[in-house]
Amino acid sequence: MMSELAATAFVALSLRSIISLNSYSGNNKPPMFGDYEAQRHWQEVTVNLEAKHWYTNGTDNDLQYWGLDYPPLTAYHSYLMGHVAKSHNSSFVELHTSRGIETKEHKSFMRLTVLAADSFVYFPAIWALCVGLDRAFQSNVKQLLLLLLAFYPGQVLIDNGHFQYNNISLGLAAAAIAAVLWNKHYSAAFAFTLALNYKQMELYHALPFFSYLLATTLSQKSLKSFAIQLTTIASIVLTVFAILWLPWLHSLDAASQVIHRLFPLGRGVFEDKVANVWCSINVIFKLKKHFLNHQMALICLGSTLLAVLPTNIILFWRRSKYMFLLTLFNTSAAFFLFSFQVHEKSILLIALPAICLFNWWPKEMLWFLEVSVFSMIPLLKRDQLLVSTVAATFIFHLIFKCDYLKTKQQILYENNLLDSVIVISEILMISILIGFLTIEPTPKYPDIWPLIISVVSCAHIFLFLVWGYVKQFSKSDF
């Protein structure tokens, strides 16, 4: 199997390398550029300033210019990459003067840092996850799942196209899921705490981990075993947090500043058009006219809790590994639909558990992955990545809808109603995409196509959440 892993990794890295030759977020778009510049700027800030100043506004750190707004582990990663950049070419991270650098040499360096994260974090983690799924459920589909995780267009296009490091946070989350499947609960707590400290959006996955690990701890046969496991897990989580946050624990103000940067309520409930409930409601009911930001944040918090608590309570009382995966899917979908400040790229957090559920619901999960890529079309078009999107999605379809997989893996079972619904959905998405590319919007409604895409995608995701709840409330428990 190691040869199969090596072959998959080689082909997947080749695809990522080809995607990385294309445009990226903010390409030649001063003065702010885009996510590419944000990641580069964090290297500049962290390598030139003391850690205590990384999240603080100042002469050398203008927070209005891509101020660091991810947790400390991202900052440490930027610090490491910044030192590598400095040793290679100090102009990449010179304070102030390196802003907006877009040389061919620098682009190659930045793209290679993402490929390095793929190679050393994401690929090993998804391999462990696939083996864990095979072992836990005796499914014998680890190679197929590895292909799904390695070639899923959404993650490839966002990290290696748009430019981000979701491969690190998703890789750590995948490692944590794998640890749960292997019954390595201390390792799960460690890996997930790292994921949460790399990107705060991993809160989408936090409640299922908490519910599952708490239920597992309470199921211990003796009080001594219960106390040992609870103490150990709590110690792991608190120790990791303390080590990573140490530079900002010297005062309440310093820690509060980091938290404020991680959860900026001032940005509003959403920025760009995104496929969640609030953006869809805003079409007919302008939220910003009726609610202040803090009021909207409370509404989002209440709505999200209402949507996620039942699924996690079910997991707590009916603990199983299959239920854990389904709860991850439901919880992340609910967070995406109802929480505050959702970004298009957060759909990747639902895609990870969706792929884990592929063994039981192949058609549904492939359909969801299609919807997830469709929901990001406006973002990818902005980055001039539509050709890459079509190509990567086509390759994905070739791999997972070919005759070999239909017969060998038996992923396409008979279900005429579901088949019809999926076909209608795909025709709708393709029609909207064609309209988006060929029909110019009117001056009165310049954002009509991104809005249509977000509303249609939101409706799909909401139906998937309902579907997930139906499956979780049913008596079948794999």
Side-chain angles (χ1 to χ4, degrees), residues 297-450:
L298 290 174
I299 292 171
C300 292
L301 177 62
S303 302
T304 305
L305 288 176
L306 285 174
V308 302
L309 285 179
T311 185
N312 283 276
I313 291 171
I314 295 170
L315 172 62
F316 180 80
W317 289 111
R318 295 175 56 195
R319 176 178 57 92
S320 73
K321 292 170 183 176
Y322 165 75
M323 196 66 70
F324 169 66
L325 298 175
L326 192 54
T327 304
L328 278 173
F329 179 82
N330 290 342
T331 303
S332 52
F335 263 90
F336 184 87
L337 288 171
F338 296 106
S339 58
F340 193 86
Q341 262 294 310
V342 173
H343 294 274
E344 308 100 311
K345 296 155 285 192
S346 300
I347 197 77
L348 302 182
L349 293 158
I350 319 175
L352 178 61
I355 294 172
C356 293
L357 291 169
F358 180 83
N359 184 47
W360 299 279
W361 315 106
K363 283 188 177 180
E364 291 88 340
M365 294 302 98
L366 278 176
W367 181 24
F368 174 80
L369 296 179
E370 292 173 354
V371 172
S372 70
V373 176
F374 174 75
S375 73
M376 295 187 287
I377 288 292
L379 171 67
L380 296 169
K381 183 178 184 293
R382 245 186 349 260
D383 294 338
Q384 300 176 30
L385 289 168
L386 271 186
V387 174
S388 299
T389 301
V390 173
T393 305
F394 179 71
I395 292 171
F396 190 72
H397 275 264
L398 279 181
I399 294 172
F400 298 106
K401 290 195 174 181
C402 64
D403 290 336
Y404 171 76
L405 289 179
K406 288 181 183 179
T407 56
K408 191 74 174 177
Q409 302 294 347
Q410 297 178 346
I411 66 168
L412 297 181
Y413 49 83
E414 288 297 325
N415 188 329
N416 292 330
L417 177 59
L418 178 61
D419 289 343
S420 299
V421 171
I422 292 176
V423 168
I424 293 170
S425 169
E426 290 176 338
I427 292 173
L428 175 63
M429 289 188 287
I430 292 172
S431 301
I432 293 172
L433 176 58
I434 292 172
F436 180 46
L437 297 176
T438 60
I439 302 175
E440 284 292 324
T442 63
K444 186 177 181 180
Y445 302 107
D447 297 324
I448 187 64
W449 287 113

Side-chain angles (χ1 to χ4, degrees), residues 122 125-126 129-130 133 145 148-149 152 155 166-178 192 195 202 205 209 325 328-329 332 346-358 365 368-369 372:
Y122 187 69
I126 63 174
L129 174 58
C130 294
L133 286 163
L145 293 173
L148 271 168
L149 287 159
Y152 165 56
Q155 187 267 326
N166 295 287
N167 47 14
I168 295 181
S169 57
L170 290 174
L172 291 169
I177 297 171
F192 184 72
E202 278 297 329
H205 296 149
F209 275 97
L325 298 175
L328 278 173
F329 179 82
S332 52
S346 300
I347 197 77
L348 302 182
L349 293 158
I350 319 175
L352 178 61
I355 294 172
C356 293
L357 291 169
F358 180 83
M365 294 302 98
F368 174 80
L369 296 179
S372 70

